[in-house]
Amino acid sequence: NAGVTQTPKFQVLKTGQSMTLQCAQDMNHEYMSWYRQDPGMGLRLIHYSVGAGITDQGEVPNGYNVSRSTTEDFPLRLLSAAPSQTSVYFCASTGLGDSQYFGPGTRLLVL
Amino acid sequence: GESVGLHLPTLSVQEGDNSIINCAYSNSASDYFIWYKQESGKGPQFIIDIRSNMDKRQGQRVTVLLNKTVKHLSLQIAATQPGDSAVYFCAENRADTGRRALTFGSGTRLQVQP
């Protein structure tokens, strides 16, 4: 199993540009989530999904959209990037026993 | 607001010593706690977890202690090694929200001196 994969690893955007961060898992986990991590801080929940077709907001959802058309994929969309969205983004999926598995992260810089 | 937090931002220990990283939580409804290790440039890595019906749980070289009375969680690492150097996060999951997403503390950096 590849576990949780994320692409791209790095991205630079200009203010106002849009992009999609990809996340995929091959463990057949129903629950997936997106977090952002700012320097020197813990992770904050952006959006999560309890299964295909179901999504909900986390702590910091503004400026981000998600969809869950399949169990495997959970993309995160930035509709109009802002410098405040410069961060490291982590995708996670939750297995049996509530253990969360994290992807390697996407480092985003918005100029 | 209610949150999970840590007492020390940085902990420096000698190789071979035992390390103790502490965490406080404020929500009495929290029923599941996880410790994560994060190395530079990588995602958080699961270390050990504990549910609120337990006081102690042991893994390989690691032990998590839960004191529900004072809402305190600790991670003990035995015989700390240079490879243990990383940032450690505690995280909580609250059954009352129905979520299986986590609330993270701000992290403690563990530095192991050779």
Side-chain angles (χ1 to χ4, degrees), chain A residues 23-96:
Chain A
C23 175
Q25 52 94 8
D26 61 359
M27 298 174 282
N28 202 32
H29 290 167
E30 291 295 326
Y31 194 96
M32 297 183 72
S33 48
W34 275 102
Y35 295 84
R36 61 176 287 173
Q37 184 177 32
D38 298 309
M41 296 181 65
L43 283 72
R44 291 183 293 169
L45 180 65
I46 304 172
H47 284 285
Y48 65 99
S49 168
V50 299
I54 306 170
T55 64
D56 204 350
Q57 297 180 347
E59 294 177 65
V60 289
N62 294 340
Y64 307 95
N65 280 353
V66 292
S67 60
R68 186 91 180 274
S69 57
T70 67
T71 299
E72 293 78 19
D73 300 297
F74 190 42
L76 178 72
R77 297 186 188 85
L78 283 70
L79 300 178
S80 180
S84 62
Q85 293 178 305
T86 293
S87 190
V88 181
Y89 292 85
F90 290 100
C91 178
S93 71
T94 303
L96 294 176

Side-chain angles (χ1 to χ4, degrees), chain A residues 10-22:
Chain A
F10 303 97
Q11 183 71 48
V12 179
L13 292 177
K14 295 180 180 179
T15 296
Q17 286 185 313
S18 63
M19 79 160 295
T20 300
L21 281 64
Q22 301 292 342

Side-chain angles (χ1 to χ4, degrees), chain B residues 2-24:
Chain B
E2 296 170 329
S3 64
V4 176
L6 295 174
H7 296 309
L8 298 174
T10 303
L11 177 64
S12 184
V13 300
Q14 292 293 123
E15 182 178 357
D17 287 350
N18 296 334
S19 302
I20 300 176
I21 300 172
N22 296 303
C23 178

